Amino acid sequence: MQSIGYQEWIDNVIKPDQLEKYLNRGRDFINEELINQALLANQNPAKTRLREIIAKALELERLNPDETAALLNCSDEDIWQEMYQAGYRVKEKVYGRRIVTFAPLYVSNYCVNSCVYCGFRSENGQTIRHQLSLEEVEAEVAALVQQGHKRLIMVYGEHPASDVHYIAQTLIRAYNTKVGNGEIRRVNVNAAPMSVDDLKVLRDVGIGTFQVFQETYHHKSYQRLHPRGIKANYHWRLYSLHRAMEAGVDDVGIGALFGLYDWKFEVMGLLLHTIDLEQKFGGVGPHTISVPRIEPAVNTPFTQKSRYLVDDDSFKKLVTVIRLSVPYTGLILTARERAEVRNEVIKVGCTQLDAGSNIGIGGYAQNRLDYHRQQFILGDNRSLDEMIRDLARMGFITSFCTADYRCGRTGECFMSITKQGKIHNLCMPNAILTFKEYLLDYASPETRAEASYLIDKELMALPNEQVREKVKGMLERIEAGERDLFL
Amino acid sequence: MTQNLLNRIEDYAQQVPILQACDRAVRELYPGLELRWAQIYGLRWSHVWGDEDSMLSAGRRVQINQHWGMVLNEACPIAETELGQLVQVLRNYLK
């Protein structure tokens, strides 16, 4: 496609009326003056104030920008230790000791954009381009199902060839792929911003969560890092999840790519994004928040020279502040991070991890690692089985539960339950049931030996005796060969 | 039951949107029933209306047609035969 063709395509994709309607008196919700003022006004916060804010988070109340700014500005390491513990307690209160696991599936790396930090940018001649055929999608999904996965995040570059109809076809194929007892039960999507009509197409084929990361909320940095292509339109991207909600895709995921701009500013941006969604959609904010940190990519020097790269200690801190600021929202920590970083950061309140990940296009079926087909380079290459074993050693049970969105516990309903800290009354039983399936069907003997104790432990910890008895009965049915039992 | 439900839905439909009319009619017939309505998209049951606060325990999914479903509390007081009749009536209103 020639450049003039791209421009025509861009003009057709972006619908100005579908973003202008969400502006607040002509301005977007990333009020930089407010963010900077909050960060400035809440420097050197007193210990007593910080402890009050932590206490508010432990009540599962969302923090306001001043409170979040105060946490971000904390310079007392003892208070940070208290915050780490509070993050863990918040997570345990809302989600229990379970970690939801998924796999990323990169479907197409053709891209019209020019994001300077991304291996898929159109100018990167060293990236091998490929878009999976539906047969290849099926082969990839089958390989993941055979590992034991039940949840995917399917990822697409922004290109006319991977439009919404292609994405919908790949979702349908993923859902229809069965191998033995296994199948994918929830497909989340990370793709380019779309119009409301296009999002309805994804809704109709049963999308799980729709993710769009703003990358950086800082306006000037955004323009500098996205100089051309459709992604250069900050507002089209910023309101993509508002449009998703409007289209009836009521589980949406936000995120920032840490390392592009000041991390404290980005955390404030994520908070303001959450607040604006809550204000405009009846209290329903993001289903998940992702915290990717910039990683090296082939022929992409920016990834190593950005002046805003985030060190491991700051990364743990920013994840903690997000956990406390939005206590009821899922928090995703991906395999971009090294295993030792993940093992440390999980403990401050993450709820979802990917495992056994291969982000090369076609990488699962061919079981190969190819940096030239990847958007960036992964830090954690543990298999799903190894990850589950490591989590079990830390006392976490891996959940493959997908019951919520199959039982109408989405959007307003899901938020209502999580804000009361009661989602784990349903999710922990479902974690136990899906974990049992995994142990029977896919686990190595070593993992089965090390992780089985969690079934009894978590079963006995269920607070409701009736539920416990019911789950016991369902576990017996799973032992006898039934699958996909859930509450 | 069928005629009773039909009459109530028709009455309420004069005042409120059809989904709310169905909701009110079903609740009147079965006081104490915990009930949510969902639109079905593939595997996804997307919450639309109902008792989100009270559904903290497992629910029972009842598919009305390809596009609509109800989630009832597990201790649902409706007998199986009657539930079948209820679904038949609702199919006429929720397309």
Side-chain angles (χ1 to χ4, degrees):
Chain A
M1 190 182 285
Q2 299 301 309
S3 59
I4 185 70
Y6 281 142
Q7 192 54 52
E8 284 169 7
W9 176 67
I10 290 169
D11 292 345
N12 283 331
V13 170
I14 294 178
K15 316 278 185 216
D17 58 310
Q18 292 188 13
L19 60 89
E20 285 160 6
K21 64 189 280 192
Y22 289 116
L23 296 172
N24 303 321
R25 294 179 186 170
R27 293 187 63 177
D28 66 56
F29 56 82
I30 298 297
N31 183 336
E32 294 191 7
E33 202 178 304
L34 181 148
I35 292 175
N36 292 329
Q37 187 57 37
L39 288 169
L40 202 63
N42 291 281
Q43 286 183 326
N44 304 314
K47 275 188 182 184
T48 49
R49 176 155 182 257
L50 289 168
R51 288 191 171 121
E52 281 169 14
I53 297 169
I54 294 169
K56 181 178 174 183
L58 284 165
E59 292 298 312
L60 309 186
E61 281 189 58
R62 185 194 25 82
L63 303 184
N64 64 40
D66 275 319
E67 291 162 340
T68 294
L71 296 187
L72 288 168
N73 283 328
C74 173
S75 54
D76 183 324
E77 283 303 316
D78 290 339
I79 296 287
W80 275 111
Q81 293 302 322
E82 290 179 32
M83 285 202 265
Y84 297 148
Q85 287 165 24
Y88 180 82
R89 284 166 60 198
V90 162
K91 189 261 173 185
E92 192 169 4
K93 212 168 172 177
V94 179
Y95 291 94
R97 288 175 296 277
R98 67 193 175 85
I99 298 285
V100 169
T101 309
F102 65 95
L105 172 53
Y106 277 67
V107 186
S108 172
N109 63 358
Y110 285 99
C111 192
V112 298
N113 293 312
S114 304
C115 316
V116 300
Y117 50 83
C118 180
F120 287 171
R121 70 188 185 284
S122 59
E123 296 84 1
N124 190 353
Q126 292 189 26
T127 291
I128 299 168
R129 308 283 168 174
H130 187 60
Q131 175 168 305
L132 297 180
S133 66
L134 293 180
E135 291 69 31
E136 288 171 321
V137 169
E138 187 171 331
E140 291 287 281
V141 172
L144 287 163
V145 167
Q146 284 167 315
Q147 287 182 30
H149 280 292
K150 299 286 186 283
R151 302 167 69 111
L152 298 182
I153 175 87
M154 291 175 70
V155 184
Y156 307 79
E158 186 157 24
H159 193 275
S162 49
D163 67 1
V164 71
H165 302 291
Y166 169 75
I167 296 175
Q169 289 302 313
T170 58
L171 258 69
I172 292 168
R173 184 60 72 102
Y175 278 128
N176 288 337
T177 302
K178 320 275 180 195
V179 184
N181 285 329
E183 63 192 343
I184 295 300
R185 299 173 185 159
R186 178 170 179 140
V187 180
N188 301 329
V189 170
N190 183 312
M194 295 177 200
S195 67
V196 173
D197 284 345
D198 282 356
L199 286 156
K200 285 179 180 171
V201 174
L202 296 187
R203 179 200 65 189
D204 289 351
V205 297
I207 184 177
T209 302
F210 183 59
Q211 278 187 348
V212 175
F213 302 158
Q214 188 63 23
E215 319 297 10
T216 173
Y217 286 97
H218 186 252
H219 293 84
K220 276 190 184 164
S221 298
Y222 187 94
Q223 294 308 331
R224 186 169 50 81
L225 296 165
H226 309 96
R228 289 175 295 281
I230 201 164
K231 198 165 171 179
N233 190 319
Y234 179 97
H235 285 144
W236 181 243
R237 193 167 189 87
L238 190 65
Y239 289 102
S240 53
L241 300 175
H242 290 64
R243 295 193 295 280
M245 297 286 279
E246 183 181 331
V249 180
D250 53 0
D251 290 332
V252 298
I254 66 174
L257 181 56
F258 286 92
L260 299 183
Y261 188 61
D262 174 55
W263 61 269
K264 293 183 181 179
F265 184 97
E266 304 294 14
V267 171
M268 297 295 285
L270 288 166
L271 178 68
L272 294 187
H273 201 160
T274 299
I275 292 172
D276 201 68
L277 284 167
E278 288 182 349
Q279 285 176 344
K280 295 198 166 82
F281 296 97
V284 183
H287 188 72
T288 53
I289 298 177
S290 294
V291 288
R293 186 163 52 151
I294 200 164
E295 293 295 337
V298 166
N299 190 30
T300 310
F302 177 86
T303 57
Q304 278 147 327
K305 69 175 191 191
S306 170
R307 57 188 275 229
Y308 295 107
L309 294 179
V310 179
D311 61 57
D312 291 349
D313 183 56
S314 301
F315 183 64
K316 183 177 176 184
K317 286 175 171 155
L318 74 88
V319 174
T320 305
V321 174
I322 294 170
R323 173 70 297 152
L324 296 175
S325 297
V326 193
Y328 39 79
T329 292
L331 195 45
I332 299 176
L333 180 66
T334 71
R336 283 172 178 261
E337 302 300 333
R338 304 184 314 278
E340 58 269 29
V341 171
R342 288 177 109 190
N343 287 347
E344 188 62 27
V345 176
I346 289 165
K347 292 184 276 192
V348 301
C350 296
T351 63
Q352 293 193 29
L353 303 175
D354 59 328
S357 301
N358 185 326
I359 58 172
I361 311 281
Y364 291 113
Q366 295 168 11
N367 195 22
R368 71 168 182 204
L369 206 59
D370 184 349
Y371 292 157
H372 290 272
R373 289 169 182 259
Q374 296 185 188
Q375 189 180 23
F376 53 87
I377 295 167
L378 289 180
D380 185 356
N381 291 305
R382 281 177 291 179
S383 70
L384 176 61
D385 195 67
E386 289 168 326
M387 169 71 85
I388 287 173
R389 198 160 59 235
D390 284 353
L391 288 173
R393 286 173 185 151
M394 294 164 71
F396 292 113
I397 184 169
T398 301
S399 175
F400 296 90
C401 169
T402 56
D404 283 338
Y405 100 120
R406 294 191 287 163
C407 294
R409 295 191 289 264
T410 65
E412 184 184 350
C413 182
F414 179 83
M415 277 297 156
S416 166
I417 301 171
T418 52
K419 284 180 180 177
Q420 296 174 61
K422 290 178 176 169
I423 195 74
H424 60 280
N425 288 340
L426 294 159
C427 292
M428 187 51 90
N430 288 329
I432 295 168
L433 295 169
T434 55
F435 192 55
K436 181 72 177 178
E437 279 190 30
Y438 177 82
L439 291 177
L440 288 173
D441 293 342
Y442 304 103
S444 65
E446 192 183 353
T447 296
R448 206 170 289 139
E450 286 203 44
S452 294
Y453 82 97
L454 287 163
I455 299 277
D456 289 335
K457 183 186 167 198
E458 294 300 343
L459 186 65
M460 296 322 290
L462 291 176
N464 184 311
E465 197 178 324
Q466 268 186 320
V467 172
R468 199 182 314 137
E469 286 308 309
K470 182 165 186 170
V471 173
K472 271 187 195 171
M474 292 167 109
L475 286 170
E476 285 168 14
R477 287 165 58 194
I478 290 172
E479 288 267 13
E482 281 190 67
R483 292 293 178 269
D484 200 16
L485 303 179
F486 56 89
L487 301 183
Chain B
M1 183 283 290
T2 306
Q3 194 55 48
N4 196 348
L5 180 65
L6 272 168
N7 292 343
R8 286 168 196 260
I9 294 175
E10 293 292 340
D11 282 351
Y12 285 128
Q14 309 294 320
Q15 307 159 33
V16 294
I18 192 64
L19 178 63
Q20 290 172 45
C22 292
D23 184 74
R24 281 192 196 177
V26 174
R27 285 173 195 280
E28 276 188 8
L29 273 181
Y30 303 101
L33 179 70
E34 288 174 1
L35 168 65
R36 285 181 297 137
W37 303 85
Q39 280 196 285
I40 302 171
Y41 305 109
L43 289 181
R44 181 185 184 84
W45 284 47
S46 204
H47 173 75
V48 179
W49 181 266
D51 293 320
E52 64 262 25
D53 287 343
S54 60
M55 296 298 286
L56 296 172
S57 56
R60 176 181 173 187
R61 297 188 303 170
V62 178
Q63 187 160 353
I64 296 166
N65 55 29
Q66 194 187 342
H67 304 294
W68 286 94
M70 297 184 288
V71 186
L72 311 172
N73 51 321
E74 275 202 316
C76 167
I78 312 175
E80 283 304 312
T81 328
E82 216 166 299
L83 191 58
Q85 292 167 349
L86 180 82
V87 167
Q88 285 299 330
V89 173
L90 293 171
R91 272 186 192 151
N92 295 324
Y93 294 98
L94 299 174
K95 305 287 186 188

